[in-house]
Amino acid sequence: MVILMYLLTLGTCFCLVGLKTNIYIRQKRKMSFRKVNIIILVLAVALFLLVLHHNFLGLSSLLRNEVSDSGIVGFQPIDFVPNVPRQAVDGRHEEIPVVIAASEDRLGGAIAAINSIQHNTRSNVVFYIVTLNGTADHLRSWLSGSTLKTIRYKIVNFDTKLLEGKVKEDPDQGESIKPLTFARFYLPVLVPSAKKAIYMDDDVIVQGDILALYNTPLKPGHAAAFSEDCDSASTKVVIRGAGNQYNYIGYLDYKKERIRKLSMKASTCSFNPGVFVANLTEWKKQNITNQLEKWMKLNVEEGLYSRTLAGSTTTPPLLIVFYQQHSTIDPMWNVRHLGSSAGKRYSPGFVKAAKLLHWNGHFKPWGRTASYSDVWEKWYIPDPTGKFSLIRRHMEISNVK
């Protein structure tokens, strides 16, 4: 349409100039025909360039408005800092969106994870940091006051109203009342323009190049790739009660008719949703977010999750929606259980070879007794505001005194 407009404009210019030229020729017959042609050409080109410039400015204004649009229901972009020096990024220019949730009490974990990712890649990574309003200023101060001030990031506020009617307040399942754990359900909203994205928890350290994880191949029709709990790189950890942490019965109540009607084998290997790669085009096509919200609501009404829930309350709906419909990531990209006693079974050599270390479990590396916390602390950047500090370090200082 724009090209057609240009052609019509150009044609009009030629007609007008031609008409004036005929008059001009009649009045000034002494002027040579060659000089007239030159004048016609110059005037036509000048008019065409003026029209082209005018339309280009209008198009640029439109594009700027589209990029700055933040009218997303439930999420409000707070900050966007594209400060990374372009010369520091090599030929692999494709943007890699990495989504991390950052709560106030675990902010040091998110900082360490981001630092490890940034240090081990030359790819064009943009961090989408999901948090609550009260944490945004603290996070921004931490980033700007450290070596991470040059990273490209976007702080997005999570609206807890999104979870109304979808999360059950259960004192025995403390995770259910932590809204940021559900941010992973809304990836296409968090990263609306991306076709693919990586999600990871805040209790991880990345030791490999994030580009390798991003390039994980997904099978046709699969919206995500997870690391299965039965893989050889992770230790199977038996949990108290009827279920265990590596199959479906550890997360879902198979006594409930609605669960039985799904015909999912209780012995099916579960997967860990703390690190995964998402095909956002397929995610939107299959309405994955709506499906997840559906099962969250049904659990509130009918109690579909296992009473001996083996992990996060975000896992059961993901297991249902992605049953036999997900790809797998390299197990070395989610070496987990470092937050439980099982982490002590890993050899130093194995931990060093891992591409991603995951302290899922009760013990966190910024806490008291997590395994290989010294590896995590290598990537930790002290809080310039002094609000966040390592619990373990305080204990060590107290013991010395």
Side-chain angles (χ1 to χ4, degrees), residues 65-86:
N65 289 337
E66 289 178 350
V67 171
S68 63
D69 182 19
S70 60
I72 303 174
V73 177
F75 295 91
Q76 181 62 43
I78 299 173
D79 203 1
F80 184 60
V81 184
N83 287 333
V84 64
R86 286 295 175 181

Side-chain angles (χ1 to χ4, degrees), residues 165-384:
K166 305 181 186 77
V167 176
K168 182 186 298 184
E169 297 287 342
D170 188 345
D172 296 328
Q173 303 291 346
E175 192 111 26
S176 65
I177 59 174
K178 296 180 180 179
L180 291 178
T181 61
F182 297 94
R184 71 197 83 191
F185 289 5
Y186 301 92
L187 289 183
V189 185
L190 293 167
V191 196
S193 60
K195 296 180 180 179
K196 195 175 182 181
I198 295 172
Y199 172 85
M200 58 181 58
D201 285 343
D202 56 12
D203 53 356
V204 306
I205 287 297
V206 174
Q207 300 185 135
D209 189 338
I210 198 71
L211 180 65
L213 178 60
Y214 183 75
N215 286 335
T216 297
L218 275 70
K219 295 179 180 179
H222 286 182
F226 303 90
S227 178
E228 295 191 347
D229 289 322
C230 302
D231 61 52
S232 59
S234 295
T235 307
K236 298 177 181 179
V237 183
V238 177
I239 304 299
R240 292 181 181 179
N244 50 49
Q245 201 171 346
Y246 56 93
N247 59 30
Y248 271 47
I249 199 172
Y251 296 89
L252 300 168
D253 188 351
Y254 275 79
K255 295 179 180 179
K256 297 298 174 66
E257 182 180 2
R258 189 178 293 276
I259 295 297
R260 293 199 305 271
K261 283 184 176 180
L262 294 174
S263 299
M264 300 184 301
K265 292 184 179 180
S267 59
T268 301
C269 181
S270 58
F271 54 77
N272 181 273
V275 178
F276 65 90
V277 181
N279 179 335
L280 299 183
T281 301
E282 197 65 41
W283 190 294
K284 288 183 280 190
K285 181 180 177 181
Q286 297 181 29
N287 293 317
I288 297 296
T289 297
N290 290 340
Q291 292 188 56
L292 293 169
E293 289 184 326
K294 166 192 168 183
W295 287 104
M296 291 168 69
K297 292 176 183 177
L298 287 173
N299 176 64
V300 170
E301 297 169 2
E302 304 176 25
L304 302 178
Y305 302 167
S306 172
R307 291 183 178 276
T308 56
L309 189 62
S312 168
T313 53
T314 59
T315 304
L318 287 165
L319 292 179
I320 295 173
V321 173
F322 286 102
Y323 179 71
Q324 295 184 345
Q325 289 294 321
H326 69 274
S327 299
T328 57
I329 65 175
D330 183 339
M332 296 301 284
W333 272 101
N334 193 0
V335 173
R336 46 203 178 276
H337 304 311
L338 288 165
S340 68
S341 58
K344 298 178 181 179
R345 304 177 192 174
Y346 295 141
S347 69
F350 178 72
V351 169
K352 185 177 181 180
K355 301 297 183 182
L356 183 147
L357 299 171
H358 191 179
W359 279 265
N360 64 313
H362 182 68
F363 304 110
K364 301 304 176 186
W366 54 85
R368 294 182 175 85
T369 56
S371 301
Y372 291 100
S373 56
D374 57 320
V375 176
W376 177 87
E377 194 166 344
K378 172 185 175 183
W379 300 107
Y380 173 70
I381 300 174
D383 183 2

Side-chain angles (χ1 to χ4, degrees), residues 106-158:
R106 299 163 63 105
L107 202 52
I111 291 292
I114 292 171
N115 188 33
S116 67
I117 294 170
Q118 186 71 11
H119 183 85
N120 288 303
T121 189
R122 289 181 57 81
S123 297
N124 185 16
V125 178
V126 177
F127 297 95
Y128 289 78
I129 311 172
V130 189
T131 187
L132 302 176
N133 265 331
T135 305
D137 289 339
H138 184 191
L139 174 59
R140 192 180 296 109
S141 298
W142 203 331
L143 292 172
S144 62
S146 70
T147 56
L148 295 177
K149 60 186 177 182
T150 60
I151 68 168
R152 300 181 70 215
Y153 69 92
K154 190 171 189 175
I155 300 176
V156 185
N157 178 57
F158 186 86

Side-chain angles (χ1 to χ4, degrees), residues 80-107:
F80 184 60
V81 184
N83 287 333
V84 64
R86 286 295 175 181
Q87 62 270 22
V89 180
D90 63 13
R92 300 169 290 187
H93 293 303
E94 182 178 3
E95 184 177 290
I96 300 179
V98 176
V99 179
I100 298 179
S103 61
E104 183 69 28
D105 60 328
R106 299 163 63 105
L107 202 52

